[in-house]
């Protein structure tokens, strides 16, 4: 498995909760597209012995690109990389980019012609109150309309939803879930609203303009989501992801299973099994460096402790859990013994269980998986 991620660092406006790298000005868009294509060419040797199984356009807002810009990037990929005939190719999109006032040069029909076969639509909520609080660019009407239109062209559609939004009652959250089910989407990614440093949300909460996040209600809404979707035959295969059989995200699964991937564009991360690297989070500096045939990035060689801790963190979030056999074979008996020793209290509290030589979270412990994982880490002296 080898995955390719393309970061499109442009948005119409800044969502209050977002701390990803993006720009709300499109002045450098043409230069940025050229730089993305050039970075793809500069780094083609990194994947020369691999076949791309997934391609993912993320951001930012990839649906702000024109069909010609997307085609240029796709042509560059197919000219310089081996792409599996069965590759999962995903485009993130926002509902407002496909309305009459949206991106008129991009349509679902044109996207499909470019071999993109999966849509990830940033719905977040089907209610106006929530969208306004988060400063989303689309309306509730657009959120529902896009799914009706997209489903006539695409079978493989995933949507993002956010729970734990201040002032969003459990009743409204249930209605959000029901609207997603009514639309017939086979995959849902749902995230708890978090307050990231230096975001507009943090400032608004600090000033008292938005209430603090209610952690108890966030917890309740997570389990409402889990119970409702599982009753409808969705499989909770990762902490934030629910899919019907055959619709799990191949791209994200590759990350969780520590498969190698290449990130193209400003702020994009890459992983080759031994090192992690990340490009500079600055559009102009990125463009300038790539123009000079230099990849502007930092690289971190992973220690045995880093690799172990990452496997614990990602594995515990998934339905499969952590293979105890794999831990011993990759890291040795000392790491294996440490894991079982540190996990013991969680096993006693029924937050973790061991099933077929895999350490997993229980239904009671799954919402706490990240916190539990951090306590299972090994920190070097």
């Amino acid at each position: 498995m080898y995955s390719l991620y393309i970061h499109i660092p442009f948005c119409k406006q800044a969502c209050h909760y977002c701390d990803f790298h993006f720009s709300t000005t499109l002045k450098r868009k043409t230069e940025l597209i050229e730089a993305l294509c050039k970075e793809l060419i500069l780094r083609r040797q990194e994947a020369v012995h691999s076949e791309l199984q997934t391609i993912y356009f993320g951001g930012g807002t990839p649906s702000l690109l024109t069909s010609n810009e997307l085609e240029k990037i796709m042509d560059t990929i197919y000219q310089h990389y081996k792409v599996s005939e069965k590759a999962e190719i995903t485009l993130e999109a926002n509902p407002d980019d496909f309305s009459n006032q949206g991106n008129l040069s991009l349509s679902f029909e044109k996207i499909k012609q470019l071999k993109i076969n999966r849509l990830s639509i940033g719905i977040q909520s089907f209610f106006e109150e929530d969208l306004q609080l988060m400063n989303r660019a689309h309306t509730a009407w657009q959120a529902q309309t896009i799914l009706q239109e997209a489903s006539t062209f695409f079978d493989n559609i995933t949507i993002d939803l956010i729970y734990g939004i201040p002032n969003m009652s459990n009743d409204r959250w249930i209605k959000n879930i029901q609207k997603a089910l009514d639309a017939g989407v086979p995959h849902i990614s749902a995230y708890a609203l978090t307050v990231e440093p230096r975001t507009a949300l943090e400032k608004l909460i600090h000033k008292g303009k938005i209430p603090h996040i209610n952690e108890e209600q966030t917890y309740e809404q997570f389990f409402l989501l889990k119970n409702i979707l599982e009753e409808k035959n969705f499989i909770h295969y990762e902490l934030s992801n629910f899919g019907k059989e055959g619709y799990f995200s191949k791209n994200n699964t590759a990350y969780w299973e520590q498969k190698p991937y290449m990130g193209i564009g400003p702020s994009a991360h890459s992983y080759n099994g031994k090192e992690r690297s990340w490009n500079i989070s600055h559009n102009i500096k990125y463009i300038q460096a790539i123009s000079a045939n230099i990849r502007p990035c930092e690289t971190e060689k992973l220690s045995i402790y880093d690799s172990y801790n990452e496997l614990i963190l990602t594995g515990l979030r998934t339905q499969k859990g952590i293979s105890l056999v794999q831990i011993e074979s990759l890291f040795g008996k000392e790491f294996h013994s440490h894991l079982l020793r540190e996990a013991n209290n969680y096993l006693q509290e029924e937050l973790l269980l061991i099933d077929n030589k895999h350490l997993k979270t229980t239904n009671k412990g799954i919402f706490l998986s990240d916190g539990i994982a951090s306590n299972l880490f090994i920190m070097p002296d």
Side-chain angles (χ1 to χ4, degrees), residues 193-208:
L193 184 66
T194 55
V195 184
E196 302 295 342
R198 298 182 296 280
T199 59
L201 180 62
E202 182 190 50
K203 294 175 183 176
L204 290 167
I205 289 175
H206 181 72
K207 292 179 181 177

Side-chain angles (χ1 to χ4, degrees), residues 63-95:
S63 53
L64 285 178
L65 299 189
T66 66
S67 57
N68 287 339
E69 289 166 341
L70 273 174
E71 184 176 16
K72 181 179 178 65
I73 297 171
M74 289 292 288
D75 284 347
T76 303
I77 293 170
Y78 273 86
Q79 287 169 16
H80 297 279
Y81 293 78
K82 298 175 186 175
V83 182
S84 169
E85 291 183 2
K86 297 180 180 179
E88 176 191 89
I89 306 177
T90 305
L91 179 81
E92 287 186 353
N94 277 346

Side-chain angles (χ1 to χ4, degrees), residues 320-365:
K320 292 181 180 179
I322 303 163
S323 168
L324 297 174
V325 174
Q326 183 185 32
I327 291 293
E328 185 167 353
S329 65
L330 290 177
F331 304 104
K333 291 184 178 180
E334 185 179 341
F335 282 77
H336 181 268
S337 297
H338 167 88
L339 177 57
L340 290 180
R341 185 170 59 250
E342 295 301 317
N344 186 58
N345 285 341
Y346 296 111
L347 291 166
Q348 297 299 319
E349 294 172 11
E350 297 183 344
L351 296 172
L352 295 178
L353 60 83
I354 295 176
D355 175 34
N356 195 26
K357 297 183 180 180
H358 282 71
L359 185 67
K360 305 177 181 181
T361 55
T362 62
N363 190 58
K364 180 180 173 183

Side-chain angles (χ1 to χ4, degrees), residues 98-160:
F98 296 93
S99 68
N100 291 333
Q101 295 78 37
N103 185 353
L104 299 181
S105 69
L106 194 63
S107 66
F108 294 125
E109 187 174 15
K110 289 179 180 177
I111 291 171
K112 194 165 186 177
Q113 289 171 356
L114 294 173
K115 298 186 179 180
I116 291 165
N117 52 32
R118 183 173 183 266
L119 286 182
S120 176
I121 303 175
I123 299 292
Q124 318 310 352
S125 176
F126 290 98
F127 290 91
E128 214 65 61
E129 305 96 308
D130 305 328
L131 297 172
Q132 290 174 4
L133 182 145
M134 294 184 288
N135 200 40
R136 294 289 294 169
H138 68 271
T139 65
W141 177 84
Q142 288 169 330
Q144 290 194 245
T145 302
I146 188 176
L147 293 179
Q148 297 172 1
E149 296 175 356
S151 62
T152 63
F153 292 92
F154 292 90
D155 170 59
N156 198 349
I157 297 174
T158 178
I159 67 170
D160 289 349

Side-chain angles (χ1 to χ4, degrees), residues 75-328:
D75 284 347
T76 303
I77 293 170
Y78 273 86
Q79 287 169 16
H80 297 279
Y81 293 78
K82 298 175 186 175
V83 182
S84 169
E85 291 183 2
K86 297 180 180 179
E88 176 191 89
I89 306 177
T90 305
L91 179 81
E92 287 186 353
N94 277 346
D96 47 302
D97 291 328
F98 296 93
S99 68
N100 291 333
Q101 295 78 37
N103 185 353
L104 299 181
S105 69
L106 194 63
S107 66
F108 294 125
E109 187 174 15
K110 289 179 180 177
I111 291 171
K112 194 165 186 177
Q113 289 171 356
L114 294 173
K115 298 186 179 180
I116 291 165
N117 52 32
R118 183 173 183 266
L119 286 182
S120 176
I121 303 175
I123 299 292
Q124 318 310 352
S125 176
F126 290 98
F127 290 91
E128 214 65 61
E129 305 96 308
D130 305 328
L131 297 172
Q132 290 174 4
L133 182 145
M134 294 184 288
N135 200 40
R136 294 289 294 169
H138 68 271
T139 65
W141 177 84
Q142 288 169 330
Q144 290 194 245
T145 302
I146 188 176
L147 293 179
Q148 297 172 1
E149 296 175 356
S151 62
T152 63
F153 292 92
F154 292 90
D155 170 59
N156 198 349
I157 297 174
T158 178
I159 67 170
D160 289 349
L161 292 176
I162 293 179
Y163 58 93
I165 300 171
N167 298 326
M168 183 175 73
S169 65
N170 288 350
D171 181 61
R172 191 154 84 226
W173 175 233
I174 292 170
K175 289 178 180 177
N176 260 313
I177 301 168
Q178 190 57 53
K179 286 178 183 291
L181 291 172
D182 291 344
V185 294
H187 189 282
I188 296 173
S189 295
Y191 305 96
L193 184 66
T194 55
V195 184
E196 302 295 342
R198 298 182 296 280
T199 59
L201 180 62
E202 182 190 50
K203 294 175 183 176
L204 290 167
I205 289 175
H206 181 72
K207 292 179 181 177
K209 294 185 178 181
I210 291 178
H212 284 273
I213 290 175
N214 184 325
E215 293 185 4
E216 183 177 339
Q217 190 167 59
T218 298
Y219 182 83
E220 290 174 2
Q221 290 178 357
F222 170 79
F223 280 102
L224 282 170
L225 172 76
K226 178 176 173 63
N227 294 336
I228 292 171
L229 291 187
E230 288 182 339
E231 285 179 5
K232 298 297 182 179
N233 298 318
F234 280 78
I235 299 167
H236 190 192
Y237 70 103
E238 194 271 343
L239 177 62
S240 301
N241 287 273
F242 301 78
K244 292 284 185 73
E245 191 71 54
Y247 288 95
F248 296 179
S249 169
K250 294 179 182 178
N251 177 79
N252 291 350
T253 298
Y255 294 160
W256 302 323
E257 293 181 350
Q258 256 97 71
K259 305 295 184 183
Y261 57 87
M262 181 188 299
I264 300 293
S267 81
H269 287 232
S270 301
Y271 171 67
N272 63 10
K274 297 179 181 179
E275 297 176 333
R276 292 201 182 278
S277 60
W278 53 95
N279 290 348
I280 191 169
S281 298
H282 193 290
N283 289 1
I284 295 175
K285 290 181 180 179
Y286 168 80
I287 291 167
Q288 291 172 340
I290 294 295
S291 297
N293 297 322
I294 298 169
R295 182 189 167 206
C297 71
E298 292 183 52
T299 300
E300 174 190 24
K301 187 172 183 178
L302 298 178
S303 70
I304 189 171
Y305 302 104
D306 294 327
S307 297
Y308 169 85
N309 292 342
E310 288 189 8
L311 192 152
I312 295 300
L313 181 63
T314 56
L316 211 58
R317 290 177 62 100
T318 67
Q319 180 190 43
K320 292 181 180 179
I322 303 163
S323 168
L324 297 174
V325 174
Q326 183 185 32
I327 291 293
E328 185 167 353

